[in-house]
Amino acid sequence: MDLFPSPHEYFRNHPGRPRKRLGQHFLAQPKTAEKIVEAAAVKPHDVVVEVGPGLGALTAHLVGRCARLHLVELDRDLVAFLAQRLASLGERVRLHAQDVLLFDWDHCVEEAGRPLVVVGNLPYNISSPLIFRLLENRRRIDRGVFMVQREVGERLTAGPGTKDYGVLSVLLSLYASVESLFTVGPKQFYPPPKVDSLVVRFSFLDREPDVDLEDVRRVVNAVFQKRRKTLANGLKGAVPMGGEALRRAILRAGLDPQDRPERIPPASFVDLVRALKSESP
């Protein structure tokens, strides 16, 4: 659709400039935008949520491909711009002027009657919090494609024993299938960021661990906050039990209390959560 100007054109004709506090870097390459949308494999019956549509680089390729498109944008100037550009499309496109971390996924799914597809060029400053939010709402979401800072993207797909392996790696591998698609260089954005970006695709698994997500997250957070310490030392004070009970729980999970967290595979963290619960007073 020819509804949306390039970032250079927009800022030439409108007051203001990209807001650093919102982490704004606008994709200026239409072919890359189209490639991202194609990776989401949007079908005519899908309901899509686009995170941070900005000046509509992805929106231009989403409109017309899905049953309904929800745009979640925080920048008040961009909301006004999008509202004016999209007015002729009626109820097919709905604009939400809010922080996506506060978005009502429940209401959106109830209205759609099906799990959602989520896409977005994510502002670097909300990538990790948003991914945790999506995990919390995983039963409402079918799949998603995101462009994130390369460093974040590498953490999403990292395996045990690598420097990028951490909390996001563990949790996503337990609840989703995640793959790295392609890199996007700084010159494709306005203004150009100082780092590369990475496009990743994920779909949430039908079968998931029989433990509570928050319990897993609590344990994984505790040990990776002290990733240089042993497993036993990392959990000390983070779980309500004495040293001997903690040691028994770790051994029951088939782990060594002297292990480092970056060497422990995701499934073993699930075993550890179960073992800790069995030893809890």
Side-chain angles (χ1 to χ4, degrees):
M1 296 181 70
D2 295 322
L3 288 173
F4 305 103
S6 71
H8 299 84
E9 182 186 347
Y10 175 85
F11 286 105
R12 192 164 53 241
N13 297 313
H14 292 77
R17 55 192 303 177
R19 290 184 164 97
K20 286 186 178 180
R21 69 178 181 84
L22 297 180
Q24 288 178 339
H25 298 279
F26 298 96
L27 183 61
Q29 176 50 261
K31 287 185 178 179
T32 300
E34 185 175 13
K35 192 175 176 183
I36 292 169
V37 171
E38 287 177 348
V42 176
K43 305 292 191 301
H45 62 267
D46 283 329
V47 175
V48 178
V49 177
E50 184 184 351
V51 178
L55 294 171
L58 300 183
T59 313
H61 299 281
L62 286 167
V63 170
R65 293 195 186 207
C66 56
R68 174 165 285 180
L69 177 60
H70 293 266
L71 306 176
V72 188
E73 177 58 61
L74 181 61
D75 186 310
R76 63 185 181 277
D77 292 333
L78 296 181
V79 167
F81 164 76
L82 290 168
Q84 182 268 324
R85 289 293 171 121
L86 296 166
S88 64
L89 298 177
E91 286 297 304
R92 289 172 51 205
V93 180
R94 187 168 297 178
L95 184 57
H96 304 263
Q98 66 176 116
D99 185 339
V100 70
L101 297 178
L102 304 176
F103 185 65
D104 189 347
W105 298 94
D106 268 336
H107 179 74
C108 195
V109 170
E110 286 171 10
E111 185 182 75
R114 65 178 67 246
L116 308 167
V117 178
V118 189
V119 299
N121 170 20
L122 301 190
Y124 291 167
N125 57 346
I126 68 159
S127 297
S128 294
L130 177 58
I131 290 164
F132 284 126
R133 190 86 174 96
L134 295 178
L135 272 167
E136 293 167 356
N137 287 278
R138 62 196 178 280
R139 294 183 182 89
R140 302 165 181 87
I141 299 166
D142 181 68
R143 63 192 182 279
V145 173
F146 294 115
M147 183 155 53
V148 296
Q149 184 177 348
R150 184 172 183 171
E151 179 183 336
V152 173
E154 289 173 345
R155 290 206 300 269
L156 302 183
T157 57
T162 63
K163 65 180 178 64
D164 294 313
Y165 187 63
V167 177
L168 283 174
S169 321
V170 172
L171 294 180
L172 272 177
S173 68
L174 289 174
Y175 294 94
S177 170
V178 186
E179 59 182 316
S180 173
L181 298 181
F182 55 91
T183 302
V184 181
K187 291 182 179 179
Q188 295 197 43
F189 297 87
Y190 176 82
K194 295 180 180 179
V195 295
D196 285 341
S197 296
L198 190 64
V199 177
V200 296
R201 178 169 54 207
F202 69 86
S203 55
F204 288 113
L205 303 174
D206 293 329
R207 298 184 63 182
E208 59 180 57
D210 59 349
V211 293
D212 188 75
L213 168 64
E214 283 308 308
D215 290 337
V216 181
R217 183 175 176 179
R218 194 176 303 113
V219 168
V220 175
N221 271 337
V223 296
F224 277 101
Q225 281 175 2
K226 303 174 184 176
R227 64 185 302 147
R228 295 182 183 276
K229 294 184 178 292
T230 64
L231 187 58
N233 284 335
L235 286 170
K236 196 176 296 181
V239 292
M241 62 183 64
E244 187 52 42
L246 177 56
R247 178 180 171 80
R248 283 197 306 270
I250 294 171
L251 292 171
R252 179 178 293 186
L255 297 169
D256 184 337
Q258 299 305 306
D259 259 345
R260 306 285 177 178
E262 65 268 19
R263 291 164 49 187
I264 299 172
S268 293
F269 280 106
V270 175
D271 294 336
L272 180 58
V273 169
R274 291 196 198 100
L276 289 168
K277 277 189 168 296
S278 71
E279 289 287 343
S280 294

